[in-house]
Amino acid sequence: MKTATRLVHAGRDPAAQQGIVNPPVYHASTVIFESLDALESAQQNPFKGVYYGRNGTPVQFAFEAAVAELEGAHGAVTTCSGLAAIVAAVMSVAESGTHLLVTDNVYGPTRGLCEGLLKRLGVRTTYFDPTLDAQALEALITPDTRAVFVEAPGSLTFEISDVPALARVAHAHDLTVIADNTWATPLYYDALGHGADISIHAATKYLVGHADAMLGVINCSESHYLAVRKTAASMGYCAGPDDVYLGLRGVRTLGQRLPVHQASALALADWLAERPEVARVIHPARADHPQHALWRRDFTGSSGLFAAVLQPCSRAQLAAMLDDLELYGMGFSWGGFESLILPVDPGRSRTATTWSATGPTLRIHAGLEDINDLIADLGAGLDRLGL
Ligand SMILES: *Cc1c(COP(=O)(O)O)cnc(C)c1O
């Protein structure tokens, strides 16, 4: 079956719910067992079927089945946010005294986890250049190293790592490869097929797709599934059934939404690249991106998030541009139906690499608005820079 079909049918079983198309949203803490036998057999396997509200309800099982099928995973684990998915995945392999290799372009709160909680628990992190070759990565592996964490592309600077090459080296040393695959979604990057053992999605972004729910999901290979499931459970992570429902509902239309985000982001990027106020556009699907060849080789599409570096300007000029935009909201997150723009400073959170840009960097999310309206609004904003 083609992806568009699987998006509609994955994880669905109307016959099991009186013919109703979507799974029920049960609000549940307590689950009653009918007999001592039933109780004891559930206790043998608390992750199979309903057991206790925190361990999941039917809508969560449907969401997990759908997402795992889309990415070809053995199983998926739902969490209450994308960050919780990252924490659970990393905590499933990290122990006191161990060491992690993390890409330098990683999502800020992932670095926060490494530098905060993990450091306190005695887990060390070395950051590596996302464009590092496999040999150079191998040189960073120590006997204590347990995992390599990649984010391709990084959500501020959009470098693409050669994940298959890095994964080959990592696996030769028995390391777990964890990928934050939020940007590409399961549709545009087959993280597990390219060597990741665990693929994380901030479902808050494109899977939910409507800027209204926090949700995370962890796709796992068979060898990592149970460890991740147990870690997430022991950390007490669970997502509310209404939010999981929104995640599953988002999956159904992802195949229609994502191509629009893709086309509009590319059109905006191409248009921005021609504007004199723009020093450079950073979009992996453009031929001028430094790792464009890797993106072409490994990805089947690009989503709606990219960056542009402006020519140097003052804060007042930047404010004049941003404050009066009509269609682009300034705010965190992305992946919803609406366009966003955010000034970012990628240099602030790097240690293994440097970030050089003379002007401000803007991260742009192309929403589902009409592309001509998006261009007109951004064009008026660039005019207000007065460069
Ligand atoms: C937003 C984001 C996360 C975290 O997701 P939340 O649901 O906001 O916790 C993780 N990784 C990336 C790349 C993100 O953009």
Side-chain angles (χ1 to χ4, degrees), residues 81-84 86 107 151 155 180 182 202 204-205 214-215 333-334:
S81 70
L83 182 58
I86 290 165
Y107 177 64
E151 185 179 318
S155 64
D180 184 332
T182 301
T204 308
K205 310 291 167 57
M214 304 294 303
L215 197 65
S333 202
W334 42 276

Side-chain angles (χ1 to χ4, degrees), residues 71 150 152 163-164 167 177-181 184-186 188-201 219 298:
E71 208 166 358
V150 293
V163 176
V177 177
I178 307 174
D180 184 332
N181 197 16
T185 82
Y188 290 163
Y189 187 64
D190 175 9
L192 299 182
H194 286 93
D197 302 293
I198 298 174
S199 170
I200 287 155
H201 295 277
N219 273 321
D298 292 349

Side-chain angles (χ1 to χ4, degrees), residues 267-284:
L268 275 178
D270 289 345
W271 175 82
L272 279 167
E274 300 298 319
R275 288 284 302 210
E277 299 89 347
V278 175
R280 109 181 119 101
V281 165
I282 310 169
H283 191 310

